[in-house]
Amino acid sequence: GQDFGYDGSEGPIHWGEKYQQCVGKHQSPIDIESQNVIEKSFPPIVYDGFDQNLEQVNVTNNGHTVMLSITKGEPPTVSGGPLSGTYAFTQLHFHWGQNDSLGSENQINHQSFPLELHVVLYNIQYETFKNALDYEDGLVVLSFLYSVSHTSNSKYNQFEEALDAVRDILASKEIDNFVSLDDFVGIDRGAYFTYAGSLTTPPCSEVVTWIEYQNTIPVSREQIHNFRLLYSHEGHLTHNFRPVQELHDRSIYFNRS
Ligand code: BO1
Ligand code: ZN
């Protein structure tokens, strides 16, 4: 079959057979239990370029998820908070499940959410995403959880249009003047959990500082459902979340807003 999947012999419990790092001790996602977190005040996170529309983006269905990358214009960056150095945007993508009771990768107090957004940035001192995979401070993922709202979130209109256009595996669509990351996220980013973890897909590299925001982004049931209509190698991509992994010796910090 393909390189990895979410079911049967290609599913998450088999990833370690081909990808050593997937059986490591600092894997993601995790269940964030509020009784176990350490409260800590980090310096402010500095978001640069998040307030500007993206000049041109490409949205693609890669068979594992729907992913947005920038094809024209300066990538937004983050620094501060728990990070040392500056991280540049490389792509964003989503994880979801068969129904609204599951689908997020990270959980909070054993609770799953129907959708999770990963905004992936790499440490600019390593120059490329690929190089950054070799260093423990190589990547940061800004991770957002969604909640079901009775009203449609109009900030997702452009993205929903792209979702329709990329239902076929490997389909892609270019969009000019895409909504800013501030608007795409739309919530107060003050309170967050942070921990050291990994990519949640092979090669499962343990190089990710996770920033998991406590507030959720509201979207309608219909908006979530459109993700499940994408095609993968075998039929609809109904779910693409990895189960939670053991915390082992790690600490989770909570920065209150
Ligand atoms: S995630 O945010 O932890 N779910 C995550 C998982 C994988 C990647 C980024 C974030 N990136 C993938 C690329 C692949 C590449 C692989 C290893 O990393 O999408 O194209 O092969 O470099
Ligand atoms: Zn992801």
Side-chain angles (χ1 to χ4, degrees), residues 50 53 153 155-156 179-187 189:
F50 278 57
N53 282 15
N153 183 336
K155 299 292 196 246
Y156 283 74
V179 61
S180 71
L181 292 181
D182 277 347
D183 282 348
F184 199 61
V185 164
I187 52 161
R189 292 181 293 251

Side-chain angles (χ1 to χ4, degrees), residues 93 95 105 118 200:
H93 64 271
H95 299 268
E105 296 210 295
H118 290 160
T200 65

Side-chain angles (χ1 to χ4, degrees), residues 101-221:
S101 70
L102 76 192
S104 68
E105 296 210 295
N106 293 289
Q107 299 178 12
I108 300 181
N109 295 326
H110 315 299
Q111 193 193 342
S112 285
F113 297 77
L115 186 66
E116 184 167 328
L117 164 64
H118 290 160
V119 179
V120 185
L121 305 97
Y122 67 93
N123 192 325
I124 60 168
Q125 79 176 110
Y126 305 126
E127 289 173 350
T128 65
F129 169 81
K130 198 165 169 294
N131 289 343
L133 289 175
D134 293 333
Y135 301 90
E136 67 176 13
D137 60 350
L139 302 180
V140 58
V141 177
L142 309 180
S143 180
F144 298 88
L145 299 162
Y146 289 78
S147 51
V148 178
S149 150
H150 293 290
T151 54
S152 174
N153 183 336
S154 63
K155 299 292 196 246
Y156 283 74
N157 289 353
Q158 265 182 319
F159 191 80
E160 295 282 336
E161 206 176 302
L163 259 185
D164 282 348
V166 302
R167 280 195 190 163
D168 291 345
I169 186 161
L170 302 185
S172 69
K173 181 184 165 71
E174 241 168 43
I175 307 176
D176 292 324
N177 197 28
F178 191 77
V179 61
S180 71
L181 292 181
D182 277 347
D183 282 348
F184 199 61
V185 164
I187 52 161
D188 185 304
R189 292 181 293 251
Y192 62 84
F193 302 96
T194 183
Y195 73 95
S198 73
L199 296 180
T200 65
T201 66
C204 306
S205 319
E206 293 182 336
V207 299
V208 181
T209 301
W210 281 87
I211 296 183
E212 190 76 37
Y213 297 92
Q214 187 176 44
N215 289 333
T216 59
I217 304 174
V219 288
S220 69
R221 292 190 62 209

